[in-house]
Amino acid sequence: SQSGVSEGRLIRTPKPSADSGASGSGGQRELERMAEVLVTGEQLRLRLHEEKVIKDRRHHLKTYPNCFVAKELIDWLIEHKEASDRETAIKLMQKLADRGIIHHVCDEHKEFKDVKLFYRFRKDDGTFPLDNEVKAFMRGQRLYEKLMSPENTLLQPREEEGVKYERTFMASEFLDWLVQEGEATTRKEAEQLCHRLMEHGIIQHVSNKHPFVDSNLLYQFRMNFRRRRRLMELLSEKSPSSQETHDSPFCLRKQSHDNRKSTSFMSVSPSKEIKIVSAVRRSSMSSCGSSGYFSSSPTLSSSPPVLCNPKSVLKRPVTSEELLTPGAPYARKTFTIVGDAVGWGFVVRGSKPCHIQAVDPSGPAAAAGMKVCQFVVSVNGLNVLHVDYRTVSNLILTGPRTIVMEVMEELEC
């Protein structure tokens, strides 16, 4: 089920795992940073393919497949509010170049330049350097995608030592699955893989008390591979932050059932393939940050807990009956929203009726005209005025990539 977090609950990130030892310091932070850059770069690559910024290009009678023009990309980054100016855009792309994610097609320019030069993502030409860290990361990401597919039931809510944890896998069952899926030939090999995933901060024991052991102990993925990243995060020198919030419905976080008692991790919403999955579940929109959008990182760091008060954006409660009253000051609007490579870009909250809690200003929903405080009337022709946001989110989750949403918006006085 899709779970929300009520007001005043404590949001934490996992502490370094029990077997990480000293690697939880500089070395671990560097691994986390590398992972963030890889995910951010991959999300950008998918978006650029989606919008045909990456394509085959010709120069002097030669064809260069799957490349982009530096100058055009900088225009695109500014147009899509990924960079405020050209200088910032250059710095962002240089970060990707320094990590070996992009390169000049002939490798004649190490610096990313605001000119008509061809660059390419190394993943598009098979030249990406696969060191041990990158291999572990990419392996973890592939396993994560498999586990989050709708037909997979390995991730389940379970209890350990009297505490309930969401989206967990049991070590012994995970090892069976790895062998069954051909990810390992023997259980011993599968267990060695899990040790590597744990060392690289990809999985952890639910309460950080144990290394990976072939047992009935419960584990979770530490990293939210599908959180929609902002390119500007690449310029932050800080280690990934802990501020995944209640509007970041795809992260590991602790949900306190009682402020005085122990807490449990909660991870929300499995998804389909990346181009279909809803940003209702994947966007990291913060209701406790000053900007209101996108906390800076997935749950990788061991920062102190952040107290977040996820208040509704509505000025007052509104009932479905009030919306349907003849002459009520509300106007109906219909949006057709086509999800891009990283989602639709909005957050739904509330119940009977649901409302739009947040909208990513650079996402497809904003481009279609969606705004906060609008009330959701229907999704793909199905009336949802009398259901809660979990049901609405599930409709989007199981529906097509193109969604048609009818909303009601309060008229200006």
Side-chain angles (χ1 to χ4, degrees), residues 124-248:
D124 284 331
D125 61 15
T127 62
F128 194 82
L130 296 177
D131 57 23
N132 289 335
E133 286 78 13
V134 173
K135 286 180 181 177
F137 168 81
M138 294 180 73
R139 189 76 174 274
Q141 186 175 28
R142 185 172 78 244
L143 295 175
Y144 183 89
E145 294 294 338
K146 280 188 175 184
L147 289 169
M148 299 310 278
S149 65
E151 60 272 13
N152 194 296
T153 59
L154 195 65
L155 299 183
Q156 296 287 340
R158 296 180 177 90
E159 285 192 12
E160 187 171 293
E161 296 183 352
V163 179
K164 186 174 182 180
Y165 298 88
E166 297 290 328
R167 307 290 176 213
T168 69
F169 59 87
M170 189 179 296
S172 58
E173 292 181 359
F174 188 51
L175 294 176
D176 291 338
W177 179 81
L178 288 171
V179 175
Q180 180 183 332
E181 289 292 310
E183 294 288 345
T185 55
T186 64
R187 288 183 69 83
K188 183 177 180 180
E189 184 182 321
E191 191 169 357
Q192 290 172 344
L193 169 59
C194 291
H195 284 301
R196 288 200 300 275
L197 294 177
M198 204 156 186
E199 288 167 6
H200 291 286
I202 296 169
I203 64 173
Q204 68 166 23
H205 177 249
V206 288
S207 61
N208 304 303
K209 293 180 179 179
H210 302 282
F212 190 88
V213 182
D214 184 356
S215 63
N216 291 338
L217 291 173
L218 303 182
Y219 297 82
Q220 292 172 314
F221 275 78
R222 292 187 74 190
M223 187 170 186
N224 168 10
F225 288 97
R226 287 176 171 173
R227 180 183 67 83
R228 185 172 181 159
R229 271 71 174 176
R230 303 293 296 193
L231 276 179
M232 288 300 294
E233 295 172 24
L234 296 179
L235 300 183
S236 170
E237 295 303 320
K238 297 178 181 179
S239 180
S241 157
S242 65
Q243 297 182 20
E244 288 279 8
T245 73
H246 90 294
D247 278 332
S248 315

Side-chain angles (χ1 to χ4, degrees), residues 13-284:
T13 52
K15 299 174 183 177
S17 57
D19 67 342
S20 62
S23 67
S25 56
Q28 185 66 26
R29 283 195 298 271
E30 177 57 24
L31 286 176
E32 294 166 2
R33 189 74 186 145
M34 178 205 70
E36 275 302 291
V37 176
L38 289 174
V39 174
T40 304
E42 178 62 7
Q43 289 185 355
L44 176 63
R45 187 183 73 88
L46 290 172
R47 290 179 70 188
L48 296 179
H49 272 288
E50 184 84 13
E51 300 200 18
K52 304 294 188 282
V53 178
I54 293 176
K55 58 186 178 182
D56 295 352
R57 300 175 186 270
R58 288 183 64 82
H59 182 65
H60 291 324
L61 303 180
K62 182 177 179 180
T63 298
Y64 296 86
N66 291 323
C67 62
F68 58 88
V69 179
K71 192 176 185 67
E72 291 179 7
L73 178 61
I74 290 175
D75 293 338
W76 185 91
L77 292 173
I78 293 172
E79 178 186 347
H80 288 76
K81 298 182 174 60
E82 291 289 356
S84 56
D85 52 58
R86 306 190 79 79
E87 182 181 358
T88 302
I90 292 170
K91 289 180 180 178
L92 290 169
M93 298 311 296
Q94 188 62 50
K95 284 281 186 181
L96 296 182
D98 291 343
R99 292 281 184 171
I101 293 172
I102 63 169
H103 68 121
H104 178 250
V105 290
C106 299
D107 289 319
E108 294 174 355
H109 302 274
K110 290 186 177 180
E111 296 79 24
F112 189 85
K113 300 178 180 180
D114 186 4
V115 293
K116 291 184 178 179
L117 288 174
F118 291 170
Y119 289 82
R120 186 186 290 127
F121 281 79
R122 289 190 180 275
K123 193 165 183 180
D124 284 331
D125 61 15
T127 62
F128 194 82
L130 296 177
D131 57 23
N132 289 335
E133 286 78 13
V134 173
K135 286 180 181 177
F137 168 81
M138 294 180 73
R139 189 76 174 274
Q141 186 175 28
R142 185 172 78 244
L143 295 175
Y144 183 89
E145 294 294 338
K146 280 188 175 184
L147 289 169
M148 299 310 278
S149 65
E151 60 272 13
N152 194 296
T153 59
L154 195 65
L155 299 183
Q156 296 287 340
R158 296 180 177 90
E159 285 192 12
E160 187 171 293
E161 296 183 352
V163 179
K164 186 174 182 180
Y165 298 88
E166 297 290 328
R167 307 290 176 213
T168 69
F169 59 87
M170 189 179 296
S172 58
E173 292 181 359
F174 188 51
L175 294 176
D176 291 338
W177 179 81
L178 288 171
V179 175
Q180 180 183 332
E181 289 292 310
E183 294 288 345
T185 55
T186 64
R187 288 183 69 83
K188 183 177 180 180
E189 184 182 321
E191 191 169 357
Q192 290 172 344
L193 169 59
C194 291
H195 284 301
R196 288 200 300 275
L197 294 177
M198 204 156 186
E199 288 167 6
H200 291 286
I202 296 169
I203 64 173
Q204 68 166 23
H205 177 249
V206 288
S207 61
N208 304 303
K209 293 180 179 179
H210 302 282
F212 190 88
V213 182
D214 184 356
S215 63
N216 291 338
L217 291 173
L218 303 182
Y219 297 82
Q220 292 172 314
F221 275 78
R222 292 187 74 190
M223 187 170 186
N224 168 10
F225 288 97
R226 287 176 171 173
R227 180 183 67 83
R228 185 172 181 159
R229 271 71 174 176
R230 303 293 296 193
L231 276 179
M232 288 300 294
E233 295 172 24
L234 296 179
L235 300 183
S236 170
E237 295 303 320
K238 297 178 181 179
S239 180
S241 157
S242 65
Q243 297 182 20
E244 288 279 8
T245 73
H246 90 294
D247 278 332
S248 315
F250 210 90
C251 65
L252 290 174
R253 61 177 97 102
K254 285 198 170 187
Q255 179 184 20
S256 173
H257 301 287
D258 183 308
N259 289 336
R260 298 163 299 176
K261 296 180 181 179
S262 62
T263 55
S264 59
F265 274 104
M266 180 177 68
S267 171
V268 187
S269 304
S271 63
K272 296 185 178 180
E273 292 180 356
I274 190 164
K275 290 188 179 181
I276 302 175
V277 69
S278 166
V280 168
R281 296 163 291 110
R282 293 171 50 222
S283 293
S284 250

